[in-house]
Amino acid sequence: MERKQFFKKGEVIWAKIRGFPWWPGIIQANCSKQLNSVDETHKVLVNFLGDNTHANILITQIEKYDKKFKEFSKTKKKSLIRAISIADKLAKGEINQDIALKSFKAGQCDE
């Protein structure tokens, strides 16, 4: 049985959207109507780093940043390399979210 992962607001994570590679982001909000619900239908709002986009992502499509770094960070794509650099600085506390998300227009959870 797979162990459930818990994520918190502001956490640096990897998120997956079909058609795109795993991308670093920050959990912005819990989109579940039941705040303690963590199942395959649970969604969180993710602000993606480096490209100023956001999406409501199923919890099953999110991974811990440090845990999957070696696997997901292998890329030659410049925009992803830049996003990973921002995520690393955030994870190490070298910059804060305000700097990482400058000029970012925050999204909302889907209704």
Side-chain angles (χ1 to χ4, degrees):
M1 181 177 200
E2 189 174 326
R3 186 172 45 131
K4 290 183 180 181
Q5 297 186 80
F6 294 92
F7 302 92
K8 62 183 186 241
K9 182 178 177 179
E11 185 173 353
V12 178
I13 49 86
W14 292 100
K16 180 74 170 110
I17 294 179
R18 188 169 40 165
F20 294 90
W22 284 90
W23 202 276
I26 299 172
I27 295 184
Q28 190 61 36
N30 181 346
C31 296
S32 177
K33 298 210 185 310
Q34 296 177 338
L35 292 177
N36 295 324
S37 169
V38 181
D39 61 24
E40 65 277 353
T41 64
H42 183 97
K43 288 186 177 184
V44 294
L45 177 62
V46 173
N47 290 339
F48 290 99
L49 296 169
D51 71 350
N52 293 339
T53 61
H54 59 269
N56 294 292
I57 306 290
L58 288 170
I59 201 79
T60 56
Q61 297 301 111
I62 296 174
E63 293 288 346
K64 297 283 187 180
Y65 184 76
D66 292 339
K67 182 178 175 185
K68 293 290 187 171
F69 180 81
K70 283 187 178 181
E71 182 180 346
F72 295 158
S73 65
K74 296 175 184 171
T75 185
K76 292 182 180 181
K77 189 173 184 174
K78 288 182 182 182
S79 57
L80 182 52
I81 291 169
R82 185 168 51 97
I84 292 168
S85 174
I86 295 167
D88 282 343
K89 289 176 183 175
L90 267 171
K92 293 175 184 173
E94 295 173 7
I95 61 173
N96 64 34
Q97 286 187 32
D98 292 337
I99 293 170
L101 298 173
K102 66 181 176 191
S103 75
F104 187 84
K105 292 181 173 62
Q108 300 180 50
C109 292
D110 290 339
E111 293 293 320

